[in-house]
Amino acid sequence: MPTVNEHFFDVEDDYLFAATDQAIADFERKNPSCRVLRMSKGDVTRPLAPAVVEAIHQAVDEMSQVGGCKGYSPSAGYDFLLRSIAEQYAALGVALSCKELFVSDGSKSDIGNIFDLFGQDNLVLVPDPGYPAYRDVSILTGNRVFPVKASAENGFVAEPPADVKADLIFLCSPNNPTGTAMDRSLMEKWVSYAKACGAIIFFDAVYERYISDPCIPHSIFQVEGAKECALEFRSYSKGAGFTGVRCSVVAIPQELTARRRAGAEVALNQLWARRNATRFNGVSYLVQRAAQAVHTPQGEAQTGEDIAFYQQNIRLLRQGLRNMGYSVFGGEHAPYLWLQCPEGFDSWAWFKYLLAEIAVAVVPGKGFGLYGEGYVRLSAFCSREDVEEVLARLQSISK
Ligand SMILES: *Cc1c(COP(=O)(O)O)cnc(C)c1O
């Protein structure tokens, strides 16, 4: 009989969304006439941009022709898409060649798969509160986790810890769930810290298109020296509405190395290419054409309108909540608000209260880490009517 990965017993059950979904379903069963407003959604709700739809249609037509059908994609992605991505980086002042970019089927997969390159027992820093996959995948692959507090005292962004020598570091900016972004000087601190420890930063930039302040970097590689200590995840999911289409990018600079047990340094870029050769057969042609369309002027403008729509939702929510006297954080550079629970409520209690009293679903902050306690996450991935309705319902319970 084979043995299983013992680390499965070191992670909690996928408790957060299972538990919130169950509570919402129970409420709906008992209150069939009441519409639950799902401000808990970390998923886009607007339709695909017309330029994206057109690109997919065209690609299907191409593949329906004799001689036009595409088989396996190169495992790192087609040149047409890699070039568009390299150009997007170039516009940020970051020089990355197509050989340093790898197209993939989603950042969640990439975040898990990147551990194929590393040994076990590394010390992994994860932002707390943070995206739960960082913690879970680190544990499942036999590594140790050190949570880095991103709480009110430090403006809800993680700072390098004193007296901890990391091997790997997850950073997410703008951050899910707090909706806050790191400024350049904090990113520089992290790069210096990583270099001092010999650590590697995994920079998750999936919300970069929501950044609204031109001084905030969109990529870790905009920081001097980051190519020697960081790799980056980017995704079309939140920035272009691709959560159901699936496409992402991993950027691994040639300079980035890690050590073998005996001490020799090896380039991670080559290890990742080697890993993909064995474990990945590429993203579908249709999806890569769809992603390329996001980089066209039309695609960029259309997806930009969707982002502007969600951003306006966030502004209305934030203003409305502040007017009611709530303490609200984040949202300037991300589609999420981080809302402090009123006195007397922990995050699960407030989640339950809001659901029971006004049929509004949020996400309890505790689900994102211990330091998420005392807060809930509100998402702006909803319609304008829902924003107005949620504010009206909250007004009805505020003193
Ligand atoms: C949504 C999300 C992802 C996953 O994105 P996919 O590309 O859809 O897999 C990764 N990181 C964070 C922080 C996210 O919120």
Side-chain angles (χ1 to χ4, degrees):
M1 195 183 276
T3 58
V4 297
N5 176 356
E6 281 297 319
H7 300 299
F8 276 102
F9 308 96
D10 300 330
V11 290
E12 286 176 47
D13 289 340
D14 185 13
Y15 178 61
L16 177 61
F17 288 99
T20 52
D21 287 351
Q22 185 61 49
I24 296 167
D26 287 347
F27 177 87
E28 283 176 325
R29 197 162 7 82
K30 287 184 206 139
N31 305 277
S33 61
C34 184
R35 191 167 73 91
V36 176
L37 299 176
R38 286 166 202 266
M39 309 308 283
S40 46
K41 243 184 161 59
D43 194 353
V44 297
T45 51
R46 295 182 51 89
L48 285 175
V52 168
V53 173
E54 195 185 308
I56 298 174
H57 282 167
Q58 265 180 23
V60 172
D61 289 344
E62 238 181 282
M63 285 186 68
S64 64
Q65 303 296 315
V66 175
C69 189
K70 303 282 188 266
Y72 290 122
S73 155
S75 79
Y78 284 105
D79 268 345
F80 62 77
L81 180 55
L82 294 171
R83 278 200 303 270
S84 300
I85 298 163
E87 279 164 25
Q88 190 194 31
Y89 268 118
L92 297 174
V94 174
L96 284 168
S97 76
C98 292
K99 288 245 174 317
E100 296 171 298
L101 302 168
F102 300 86
V103 175
S104 173
D105 69 340
S107 291
K108 197 178 207 178
S109 312
D110 299 332
I111 287 164
N113 291 335
I114 200 70
F115 281 90
D116 285 356
L117 309 193
F118 297 93
Q120 299 201 339
D121 218 27
N122 289 301
L123 183 65
V124 189
L125 304 193
V126 302
D128 183 336
Y131 188 56
Y134 304 150
R135 174 191 63 211
D136 287 355
V137 77
S138 302
I139 293 170
L140 285 174
T141 51
N143 294 291
R144 292 167 293 136
V145 167
F146 183 88
V148 186
K149 190 159 132 184
S151 62
E153 302 107 73
N154 45 19
F156 301 97
V157 284
E159 293 185 62
D163 310 324
V164 178
K165 196 166 176 293
D167 298 304
L168 299 170
I169 303 163
F170 275 107
L171 295 180
C172 183
S173 180
N175 188 37
N176 175 10
T178 55
T180 43
M182 289 187 204
D183 61 17
R184 181 180 292 274
S185 81
L186 182 56
M187 284 163 76
E188 285 167 353
K189 269 199 222 168
W190 274 109
V191 167
S192 311
Y193 168 81
K195 288 194 162 176
C197 310
I200 289 176
I201 296 172
F202 296 159
F203 194 81
D204 184 340
V206 308
Y207 293 101
E208 59 87 19
R209 287 199 72 191
Y210 291 83
I211 292 173
S212 61
D213 175 347
C215 295
I216 291 182
H218 285 241
S219 162
I220 188 76
F221 302 126
Q222 287 173 275
V223 172
E224 180 90 27
K227 282 187 178 178
E228 290 118 55
C229 67
L231 55 82
E232 183 162 280
F233 303 113
R234 295 169 97 79
S235 170
Y236 295 86
S237 282
K238 313 303 184 352
F242 270 45
T243 51
V245 178
R246 313 302 304 143
C247 196
S248 63
V249 187
V250 188
I252 309 182
Q254 303 280 9
E255 292 90 326
L256 188 66
T257 60
R259 259 185 325 102
R260 293 186 59 181
R261 210 166 4 196
E265 285 193 25
V266 289
L268 291 177
N269 180 289
Q270 281 155 37
L271 288 192
W272 184 249
R274 180 66 190 83
R275 180 257 166 210
N276 282 356
T278 295
R279 294 172 76 124
F280 192 49
N281 258 339
V283 170
S284 91
Y285 178 70
L286 311 181
V287 166
Q288 292 192 59
R289 282 293 182 200
Q292 183 196 22
V294 176
H295 296 284
T296 62
Q298 253 190 339
E300 217 171 277
Q302 292 164 356
T303 52
E305 277 170 32
D306 292 327
I307 291 169
F309 179 87
Y310 295 132
Q311 284 170 327
Q312 179 63 7
N313 279 355
I314 275 282
R315 277 191 287 271
L316 294 169
L317 277 171
R318 188 173 41 221
Q319 199 50 55
L321 286 161
R322 287 201 173 140
N323 290 347
M324 285 179 238
Y326 287 106
S327 296
V328 195
F329 304 92
E332 279 92 1
H333 314 293
Y336 302 120
L337 288 178
W338 193 235
L339 180 58
Q340 197 172 353
C341 301
E343 288 244 349
F345 288 94
D346 69 16
S347 63
W348 276 100
W350 207 37
F351 160 80
K352 286 177 190 155
Y353 180 83
L354 290 176
L355 184 61
E357 294 297 318
I358 55 172
V360 169
V362 296
V363 188
K366 178 93 181 295
F368 297 101
L370 283 180
Y371 297 113
E373 185 52 284
Y375 296 85
V376 296
R377 189 191 76 177
L378 242 77
S379 153
F381 289 129
C382 60
S383 66
R384 193 60 45 79
E385 295 71 43
D386 281 6
V387 167
E388 283 156 11
E389 178 69 20
V390 86
L391 288 173
R393 291 189 194 179
L394 280 164
Q395 188 70 57
S396 75
I397 53 162
S398 69
K399 287 141 253 165

